[in-house]
Amino acid sequence: MAQKEAGKMLKTLVQVNSSVFGVHFPGNSFANLQKSANLLHAAPVSTLTDPVCASVLSEVEVLVTGWGSERLTDELLSQMPKLRLVAHLAGTVKNLLTQEQMARGFVVTQAAEANALPVAEFTLGAILWHNKSVLTWEKLYREKRSAMSVRREALYAGVGNRDKVVGVIGASRVGRQVLRLLRQHRLTVLLQDPFLTTAEAKALGADLVSQDELLSRSDVVSLHQPLLATTRKSFSEAQFAQMREGALLINTARGAIIDHDAFLPHLQSGRLNAILDVTDPEPLPDESPYWDLPNVMLTPHIAGSLGHEVLDMTEMVLEEIARFSRGEQLRYAISPDEWDRVA
């Protein structure tokens, strides 16, 4: 959307949950927002139905949202007729608004690109440690209390990252960051993505293959698709049966991509391994057998931005707001026609 008045201090309202305000705006980053925005309220509001918003919603040109922000209903949007930009201090905007609402004419930008790097770093660490059997070694060492008794030559068979095959499913933002990081290592990288050509995959450092080939060849399979109607429980019995004996499945995407009931027998038998940062439901019930499986690592949705990493997301959005106020092209805007392909 072209700017009407480049350089104008746009009237801005920040709506984030008070419990995560300090997470979204660490240090002096909130003060930095004031340099490129005319704040309609001196502090973030926890809900747009707060009485303090009644007199300012009609003036809002930029709405800043984040984790814990309420969904933008049609009624709320109708109260913001001057809204020109929604700047989301997080990844997915699908919990915030609908594809149809984006057609109202305002621009939507978000910090998913900044959030992708920590997820990719988490994934890389999981891949390298699994191929090196680090957790197995640690467990044996703890039990035996002796380096010599666990350093058996037989246990070295197949251990290490050299020449291992890693399969990446989905050249999403995270998937592309994972591919970039993997290029530094002595791995064979396969990629399955229906939207890429062979040449495009090669430029990302991977061989484009079918999902069947990827599953049958990979020592590690890492999921990076968005959760769509077509990907919900898309990893089920047929996919698990195709995976190699001893292979690892990493899921840092969305828990519902995996059919957990179908996955369980393959894990209980020890045929497959898993590192799951997301599950369905999240968290799993206390009685879920997943908690007690030695070949499954469960982490509480920590792959994405935490602590100092969140500042990258905040800075990315603040830069987008500054660009918008100067009439410049946004770098991370989402268009309605991308809706079915983004997380």
Side-chain angles (χ1 to χ4, degrees):
M1 179 184 295
Q3 296 296 98
K4 296 178 181 178
E5 298 178 63
K8 175 187 175 184
M9 296 281 280
L10 297 172
K11 294 179 180 179
T12 300
L13 184 66
V14 179
Q15 192 269 301
V16 299
N17 191 296
S18 59
S19 64
V20 295
F21 167 65
V23 176
H24 280 308
F25 291 99
N28 62 352
S29 56
F30 191 71
N32 290 337
L33 174 61
Q34 295 174 305
K35 297 177 182 178
S36 57
N38 177 10
L39 293 181
L40 290 169
H41 194 265
V45 295
S46 58
T47 173
L48 295 176
T49 58
D50 189 308
V52 301
C53 296
S55 62
V56 299
L57 284 182
S58 62
E59 297 300 313
V60 173
E61 294 174 294
V62 177
L63 179 66
V64 180
T65 57
W67 291 318
S69 290
E70 65 193 295
R71 178 171 282 278
L72 296 177
T73 64
D74 289 339
E75 180 181 357
L76 282 171
L77 289 173
S78 67
Q79 296 177 55
M80 295 182 279
K82 297 180 181 179
L83 182 64
R84 298 165 60 194
L85 173 67
V86 174
H88 193 50
L89 288 161
T92 182
V93 298
K94 291 186 175 180
N95 296 325
L96 184 68
L97 42 73
T98 66
Q99 183 180 19
E100 292 72 26
Q101 288 172 333
M102 291 180 67
R104 285 173 173 255
F106 53 82
V107 177
V108 179
T109 191
Q110 38 66 40
E113 192 70 35
N115 192 50
L117 180 56
V119 180
E121 291 171 336
F122 178 100
T123 303
L124 175 66
I127 292 169
L128 298 181
W129 272 46
H130 172 76
N131 286 340
K132 191 72 172 178
S133 297
V134 171
L135 297 181
T136 300
W137 291 116
E138 190 276 338
K139 182 176 182 293
L140 287 171
Y141 197 19
R142 186 182 297 274
E143 291 175 354
K144 303 294 185 182
R145 273 34 173 205
S146 167
M148 292 303 296
S149 64
V150 299
R151 291 171 64 87
R152 304 291 188 188
E153 186 173 344
L155 294 178
Y156 286 125
V159 171
N161 282 284
R162 176 174 172 171
D163 300 329
K164 287 293 179 67
V165 180
V166 176
V168 174
I169 296 186
S172 60
R173 291 182 180 89
V174 176
R176 288 169 185 259
Q177 290 278 18
V178 170
L179 292 168
R180 181 181 64 81
L181 295 176
L182 288 174
R183 296 180 76 165
Q184 306 173 53
H185 303 279
R186 298 172 295 171
L187 298 160
T188 296
V189 182
L190 307 179
L191 173 64
Q192 186 264 319
D193 189 296
F195 301 104
L196 289 188
T197 66
T198 299
E200 288 170 334
K202 186 65 68 176
L204 293 171
D207 295 326
L208 189 67
V209 298
S210 67
Q211 186 177 102
D212 290 350
E213 180 177 350
L214 183 148
L215 294 175
S216 65
R217 290 179 56 190
S218 296
D219 299 291
V220 179
V221 175
S222 192
L223 303 182
H224 300 291
Q225 315 106 300
L227 179 60
L228 308 170
T230 54
T231 61
R232 184 176 293 275
K233 290 193 176 182
S234 59
F235 256 69
S236 195
E237 175 58 33
Q239 287 69 41
F240 301 131
Q242 288 178 293
M243 292 178 66
R244 298 180 59 177
E245 178 89 20
L248 171 71
L249 180 66
I250 303 172
N251 190 9
T252 57
R254 289 290 182 265
I257 292 173
I258 289 178
D259 182 337
H260 288 71
D261 291 337
F263 197 14
L264 186 58
H266 295 271
L267 297 168
Q268 290 174 320
S269 69
R271 198 182 76 81
L272 297 177
N273 306 282
I275 294 178
L276 305 176
D277 188 54
V278 289
T279 56
D280 182 37
E282 190 175 292
L284 292 170
D286 289 351
E287 65 275 13
S288 172
Y290 273 79
W291 293 110
D292 300 312
L293 291 172
N295 53 331
V296 175
M297 176 184 286
L298 298 173
T299 52
H301 207 142
I302 60 168
S305 298
L306 294 173
H308 295 293
E309 296 166 336
V310 179
L311 186 57
D312 291 330
M313 302 175 71
T314 302
E315 290 177 345
M316 179 172 286
V317 167
L318 294 185
E319 289 169 1
E320 287 283 82
I321 294 171
R323 286 189 196 98
F324 193 82
S325 69
R326 296 192 299 264
E328 298 173 4
Q329 185 74 29
L330 297 187
R331 295 180 182 175
Y332 307 107
I334 300 173
S335 62
D337 59 3
E338 294 178 285
W339 191 264
D340 291 335
R341 295 174 54 183
V342 298

